[in-house]
Amino acid sequence: MSRVLVARLDSVGDVLLAGPAVRAVANGRRADGGSPNDVVVLCGPQGQAAASLLPNVADVFAWDTPWISNPAPQVTGPHLDSLVGFVRNSRITEAVILTSFHQSPLPLALLLRLAGVERITGASTDYAGSLLDVRLKPGEDFPEDQPEAVRALGIARAAGFRLKTGDDGKLMVKDPPAVRHLVGDGPYVVVHPGATVPARAWPPLHHAAAVELLEGAGHRVVVTGGPGETALTATVAGPSAIDLGGRTDLSTLSGVLANADVVVTGNTGPAHLAAAVGTPVVSLFSPVVPAVRWAPYGVPLELLGDQNAPCRLSRARICPVPGHPCLSSVSPEQVVEAVERLLSGVSSLSTRRKVRKQ
């Protein structure tokens, strides 16, 4: 059994979107008789928890990448040696480097060559020389405007790896845990107000108003957020919604999202986690990156936000337009209407995978 490295040097959502490609690599090559591989996922520190949730992963190594992380770590010999040493000692013979359109696989490919990796596949607009054995040219070998999960799967396919027969290529995580002790009994809607990038966040008071309207329409609401977002989730939850701010790790959050009827969130990791457990998403999507690539993949979706706002495709982390109009123009009433549209069609959608673990 070969050990193959799959690299996605980013955070939670990026790693989850790499899941179908990871499963393809684990499945092996048809030319080799479909012999399975041990997959080692290389990710950034923020993506480690997500990588641990992916099926068919034998090992995870988190490395703070100087050309990806923000803020970036210093480039030092010991820091580079930590990666080279791990790869060399892990008996890795092949690597598939997954990147977005604005990233290059070449710095990592160079380090992997130094670690002795024999075969490397990646997508590069720049001349790769001897760094890549299989090089895809973005915009020529595949279109740039496609979902990131499809892009990643295409890179794995170029390396010769295919999904198992019957695998639909959607996002997937290991079975979510039971969460009844957190969410109680009965249906609910999740509202996740936080975002690591401020330009992608809907205003907190808009979230709070949406929660109040959802409760007024008869829905139970669960508000989720990380340990540093407890003040935000308390504001949004108000006096009667269930406030899980700071009370869930990523695995537990997958259970909360899996049992929800709909998730309301921005373009952030939990949006992709919701997609990975098959839950419909109301996506409050700032157009700083293109929705065709980064919207929740493979689930019923309501996309809200002005996709033609002046910040479009700017990749801004802080909104460059006064008043943040791309998202602040979305009203709480519009969010509630989007939730109701998804709820009215959920029972007829045979593509929805739900794993209820209450």
Side-chain angles (χ1 to χ4, degrees):
M1 182 178 288
S2 299
R3 285 174 69 80
V4 181
L5 183 83
V6 176
R8 182 72 224 211
L9 295 167
D10 301 88
S11 55
V12 169
D14 309 281
V15 173
L16 292 173
L17 287 165
V22 167
R23 300 199 304 271
V25 173
N27 187 44
R29 291 192 179 90
R30 291 176 183 171
D32 298 335
S35 178
N37 295 311
D38 271 347
V39 175
V40 179
V41 172
L42 173 65
C43 59
Q46 291 182 326
Q48 186 171 12
S52 299
L53 293 182
L54 296 179
N56 305 114
V57 172
D59 198 3
V60 176
F61 186 71
W63 189 65
D64 200 6
T65 310
W67 59 92
I68 299 288
S69 297
N70 187 3
Q74 292 297 311
V75 178
T76 65
H79 186 59
L80 300 182
D81 288 344
S82 67
L83 173 62
V84 172
F86 169 80
V87 174
R88 184 178 290 132
N89 294 330
S90 297
R91 298 175 288 106
I92 291 167
T93 59
E94 182 170 355
V96 177
I97 303 176
L98 305 179
T99 50
S100 295
F101 73 99
H102 56 87
Q103 298 169 336
S104 171
L106 301 186
L108 178 60
L110 176 61
L111 295 175
L112 295 179
R113 285 293 193 221
L114 293 174
V117 177
E118 300 168 4
R119 189 172 191 269
I120 305 175
T121 298
S124 178
T125 57
D126 298 316
Y127 173 65
S130 59
L131 293 180
L132 297 178
D133 298 284
V134 179
R135 174 198 173 194
L136 290 85
K137 298 178 182 179
E140 297 182 31
D141 295 322
F142 60 85
E144 282 287 28
D145 279 336
Q146 61 178 338
E148 284 290 301
V150 176
R151 175 192 171 101
L153 193 55
I155 295 173
R157 188 179 300 114
F161 301 111
R162 299 289 188 275
L163 289 167
K164 284 184 178 180
T165 301
D167 189 326
D168 60 11
K170 294 183 180 180
L171 308 192
M172 189 184 300
V173 292
K174 297 172 184 176
D175 284 350
V179 293
R180 180 175 288 144
H181 64 291
L182 292 173
V183 300
D185 296 312
Y188 59 88
V189 172
V190 165
V191 173
H192 185 91
T196 56
V197 177
R200 301 180 188 181
W202 199 41
L205 295 182
H206 282 49
H207 277 105
V211 167
E212 187 175 347
L213 289 171
L214 285 167
E215 290 183 317
H219 301 292
R220 286 201 314 132
V221 179
V222 174
V223 179
T224 58
E229 297 173 330
T230 54
L232 172 63
T233 60
T235 297
V236 172
S240 51
I242 298 173
D243 180 6
L244 295 184
R247 298 175 59 192
T248 58
D249 59 15
L250 199 66
S251 175
T252 306
L253 181 61
S254 74
V256 173
L257 301 181
N259 286 282
D261 288 328
V262 175
V263 174
V264 177
T265 188
N267 178 21
T268 189
H272 302 296
L273 187 58
V277 295
T279 301
V281 179
V282 175
S283 177
L284 291 150
F285 199 97
S286 168
V288 292
V289 294
V292 66
R293 302 175 191 174
W294 292 103
Y297 177 68
V299 292
L301 174 69
E302 286 282 335
L303 190 74
L304 302 181
D306 181 2
Q307 299 306 298
N308 294 307
C311 64
R312 182 176 181 268
L313 307 185
S314 66
R315 291 175 51 209
R317 297 180 64 84
I318 305 296
C319 181
V321 183
H324 198 21
C326 68
L327 289 184
S328 62
S329 61
V330 178
S331 71
E333 289 80 6
Q334 287 174 306
V335 168
V336 175
E337 290 166 2
V339 168
E340 298 292 358
R341 285 194 295 271
L342 287 174
L343 289 172
S344 68
V346 160
S347 61
S348 63
L349 289 167
S350 61
T351 59
R352 187 182 182 201
R353 292 194 307 257
K354 292 298 289 178
V355 183
R356 292 194 175 271
K357 289 280 184 178
Q358 285 193 1

